[in-house]
């Protein structure tokens, strides 16, 4: 059965363009896909009629989340990446291999992310097949679209003895089993993703085995790539080439592969990613703490690299993707202008680096969808109805659109910079209402 909606839509069909559709009548079919969108006359009816002060945007696509870091969100960001991993992160992740703890954490995290408008999430789970499958189930139960990866890591130098795959063959077998268990859930929402943590945590044998597995099973890949000075330099020391070139040699840079961070990618690395159809999960807030550099988002986009946005929970200290949009814009301004006022302005920054708010929102929606190869990120016929309804007139909210003051472009900018969960009235994934404070019986 179809459901119809009467709404105002704001979205970015390309990264330079804000599209506003007022009084749009949108019809969703029984499979949760958009069957039609047309601009209606003023007396049109629909099953769901949103107030004119509510704006429908495409659901947000968070391309990089570490699920077992959820309990440490907001903390522990004062150490360099390699120390933070060993002192804070691996001990917590190891605890999330316990089903009992995972059964508390996963539903709490998924519900919170949905309330922030994250309709698609790309997760690193744990090394445990069991708690990884539990995460996939938690997404299915809550109605979140997700790619869920069992974390593969076996390198004796890059991992602690108490949180690693026993050896490469065990890591490859566990990753294959995880793929099968997630596929066996038979949910249209959830898919597996092959997840070698990053090169310092993986032996050559594991990386090569997972590259082969990706080819054989036709499953996407995610990993970290040239995130920090340390990780970038590590690859040259170990492989004699860049992280991207090494990962490519192992067959891990593929169509829709998600490389997290990529702050130190060179032009050649970007060319490899573009040629393979791979791309970057740009995590601007996390990068400020761990990456030692700002990711050159505009240079990557201009080079034809796919780019989505990511929170990098808990390397980034905020749960929602809208705040990453503003952070992406802010960081791009710092990159362009430079940061040391003691230098002459002309040699302080990297010119032509700034991105706009439409670029950022595009990355958070259609850019992420394109990176992953999922039919989401835009409200258009044939795509899944994954959408977020934002109230722009809530008393007490910083997000207020003032009639006669704010035009569409400013209203859009306000939504991105100021909307928080109390402003999010409804969240739909695949046509099912899954979050939002408003009564669901408003039809
Ligand atoms: N590199 C390898 N593992 C991690 C992680 O958990 N977070 C971040 N930011 N970088 C990583
Ligand atoms: Fe990460």
């Amino acid at each position: 059965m179809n459901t119809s909606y009467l709404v105002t839509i704001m979205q970015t069909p390309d990264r330079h363009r804000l599209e506003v559709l007022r009084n749009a009548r949108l019809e969703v079919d029984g499979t949760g896909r958009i069957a039609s969108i047309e601009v209606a006359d003023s007396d049109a009816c629909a099953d769901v009629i949103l107030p004119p002060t509510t704006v429908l945007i495409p659901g947000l696509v968070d391309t990089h989340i570490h699920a077992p870091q959820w309990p440490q969100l907001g903390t522990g960001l004062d150490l360099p990446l390699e120390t933070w991993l060993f002192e804070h992160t691996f001990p917590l992740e190891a605890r999330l291999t316990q089903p009992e703890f995972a059964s508390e954490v996963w539903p709490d995290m998924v519900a919170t992310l949905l309330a922030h408008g994250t309709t698609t999430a790309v997760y690193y789970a744990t090394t445990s097949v069991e708690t990884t499958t539990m995460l996939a189930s938690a997404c299915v139960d809550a109605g979140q679209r997700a790619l869920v990866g069992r974390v593969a890591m076996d390198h004796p130098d890059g991992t602690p003895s108490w949180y690693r795959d026993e050896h490469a063959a065990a890591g490859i077998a566990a990753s294959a089993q995880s793929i099968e268990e997630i596929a066996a859930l038979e949910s249209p929402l959830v898919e597996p993703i092959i997840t070698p943590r990053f090169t310092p945590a993986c032996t050559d044998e594991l990386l090569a085995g997972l590259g082969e597995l990706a080819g054989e099973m036709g499953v996407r890949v995610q990993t970290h790539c040239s995130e920090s000075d340390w990780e970038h330099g590590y690859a040259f020391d170990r492989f004699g080439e860049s992280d991207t070139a090494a990962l490519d040699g192992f067959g891990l840079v593929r169509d829709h592969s998600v490389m997290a961070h990529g702050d130190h990618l060179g032009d050649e690395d970007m060319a490899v990613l573009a040629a393979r159809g791979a791309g970057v999960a740009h995590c601007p807030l996390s990068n400020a703490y761990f990456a030692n550099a700002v990711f050159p988002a505009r240079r990557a986009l201009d080079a034809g690299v796919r780019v989505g946005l990511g929170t990098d929970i808990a390397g980034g200290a905020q749960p929602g993707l809208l705040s990453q949009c503003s952070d992406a814009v802010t960081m791009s301004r710092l990159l362009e202008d430079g940061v040391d006022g003691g230098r002459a302005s002309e040699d302080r920054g990297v010119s032509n680096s700034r991105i706009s708010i439409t670029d950022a929102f595009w990355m958070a929606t259609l850019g992420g969808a394109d990176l992953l190869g999922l039919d989401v990120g835009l409200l258009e016929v044939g795509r899944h109805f994954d959408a977020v309804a934002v109230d722009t007139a809530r008393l007490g909210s910083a997000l207020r659109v003032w009639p006669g003051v704010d035009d569409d472009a400013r209203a859009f900018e306000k939504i991105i910079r100021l909307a928080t969960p109390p402003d999010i009235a409804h969240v739909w994934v695949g046509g099912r209402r899954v979050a939002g404070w408003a009564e669901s019986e408003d039809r």
Side-chain angles (χ1 to χ4, degrees), residues 386-428:
D386 289 12
V388 177
V390 183
D391 181 357
T392 64
R394 187 173 67 85
L395 282 177
S397 176
L399 170 55
R400 285 291 294 279
V401 171
W402 297 95
V405 176
D406 292 319
D407 60 7
D408 286 342
R410 283 171 53 141
F412 177 69
E413 210 180 335
K414 282 189 166 182
I415 289 169
I416 291 168
R417 288 222 169 81
L418 301 172
T420 59
D423 305 306
I424 293 179
H426 307 275
V427 179
W428 290 276

Side-chain angles (χ1 to χ4, degrees), residues 150 152 165 167-177 205-210 213:
R150 187 202 79 91
D165 294 321
H167 45 73
I172 297 159
S175 294
Q177 190 192 338
E205 198 185 344
L206 180 64
L207 293 165
L210 294 177
L213 191 66

